[in-house]
Amino acid sequence: MRRVYLEDRMNHFSSLMSFLRDRKTFLTEVEKKIGLDSKIVSLLVCSASFIALYGLVIGASSHWLQAISSAIKLPGLYLITLLVCLPSLYIFEVVTGSQRNFRQYLVLLLATTSVISVMLLAFVPVVLFFLLSVNDYEFFKLLNVVIFALTGVIGIQFFYQSMKLLHSHSQDTDKSRNLKVVQAWLFLYGFVGSQLGWSLRPFFGTPGKDFALFRPLESNFYVHIWKTLTHALGLS
């Protein structure tokens, strides 16, 4: 039983590596609707596992309960953002004449999440280094915000380039208008993700405070980051 489980995991990981090494073939298969269901499962398993590992590490900066909580909530953050924003993307694309189905867009967004998850996995040693060598909560929080922002930009760039390539092969008469719709949607995706992350906090825990699964809703993500930045720079 364990051997079968490990083989399934390796198959999922192999699918992800194939996608990362040959994205053009991956996108061609998505456009032709080849193996969509297997792609959805593999990308979902790999992205959730990698993001959970990153969540476990950042949560460990506070408490073991926070580590477990963050390992569950961080993958939830990315997947909920995907589920919230996917219907609007699908409807926008249908209105502009796209012939793709819902599963194709789901695969593309899961691929985007997988790119982000791999980048987060790559940053795990860096985060562990600063976790063990720097005892500064504000610095650690800002470091991770920068990492989340950087990996998010890389993921969004991948999604945009993928959509640009797919639109270039389509029969749409107004490709520039369709890409502008995608650009507008990406702003929505980023805004929803950042605010949802604020709503699902804490991911790091707060020194001197007891463990809490969620914090009361107050202010917003952008105001909080501005206050944290000005405090870290000694401007407040």
Side-chain angles (χ1 to χ4, degrees):
M1 190 74 172
R2 180 177 176 81
R3 182 178 178 180
V4 173
Y5 173 79
L6 290 175
E7 287 178 351
D8 287 341
R9 285 281 179 170
M10 289 305 296
N11 288 335
H12 295 318
F13 182 72
S14 297
S15 298
L16 175 61
M17 293 306 295
S18 297
F19 148 63
L20 292 174
R21 288 170 176 167
D22 190 359
R23 300 181 188 182
K24 187 175 181 179
T25 298
F26 174 85
L27 293 175
T28 300
E29 291 179 350
V30 171
E31 186 70 1
K32 294 181 178 180
K33 305 176 185 178
I34 299 174
L36 294 182
D37 291 337
S38 62
K39 286 180 172 60
I40 288 171
V41 174
S42 294
L43 294 173
L44 180 61
V45 170
C46 290
S47 60
S49 299
F50 295 162
I51 296 172
L53 177 60
Y54 190 90
L56 185 72
V57 172
I58 63 173
S61 63
S62 175
H63 193 276
W64 68 270
L65 283 174
Q66 185 62 59
I68 295 174
S69 172
S70 297
I72 296 172
K73 288 197 299 181
L74 195 59
L77 164 62
Y78 284 92
L79 295 178
I80 293 172
T81 302
L82 184 153
L83 292 175
V84 169
C85 296
L86 177 57
S88 60
L89 172 65
Y90 177 68
I91 292 172
F92 290 163
E93 284 285 292
V94 168
V95 169
T96 55
S98 173
Q99 300 299 315
R100 300 180 194 92
N101 61 36
F102 195 81
R103 288 187 304 157
Q104 288 173 288
Y105 290 107
L106 177 58
V107 170
L108 288 173
L109 279 177
L110 283 174
T112 300
T113 305
S114 295
V115 170
I116 294 172
S117 73
V118 170
M119 295 300 300
L120 288 176
L121 183 67
F123 275 112
V124 164
V126 176
V127 174
L128 272 174
F129 170 78
F130 283 105
L131 175 62
L132 297 174
S133 62
V134 178
N135 185 25
D136 188 328
Y137 170 72
E138 298 295 338
F139 170 81
F140 188 72
K141 183 166 62 173
L142 284 174
L143 169 68
N144 281 276
V145 169
V146 170
I147 290 174
F148 284 131
L150 176 61
T151 55
V153 168
I154 293 173
I156 286 175
Q157 180 69 14
F158 161 77
F159 181 81
Y160 180 72
Q161 292 301 324
S162 299
M163 292 297 295
K164 189 175 181 179
L165 179 62
L166 293 178
H167 279 301
S168 69
H169 294 162
S170 69
Q171 302 300 318
D172 299 336
T173 57
D174 194 348
K175 295 180 176 61
S176 61
R177 183 192 63 180
N178 294 347
L179 288 175
K180 287 179 181 179
V181 170
V182 173
Q183 292 171 355
W185 179 85
L186 287 173
F187 279 106
L188 172 66
Y189 180 77
F191 183 78
V192 169
S194 57
Q195 186 57 35
L196 181 61
W198 175 252
S199 301
L200 292 179
R201 75 191 195 286
F203 293 97
F204 308 99
T206 304
K209 288 188 178 181
D210 295 332
F211 166 75
L213 187 59
F214 299 105
R215 299 288 187 204
L217 290 176
E218 57 184 19
S219 185
N220 61 66
F221 169 78
Y222 303 100
V223 171
H224 176 73
I225 290 301
W226 174 252
K227 290 181 178 178
T228 300
L229 183 61
T230 54
H231 176 74
L233 296 175
L235 300 177
S236 60

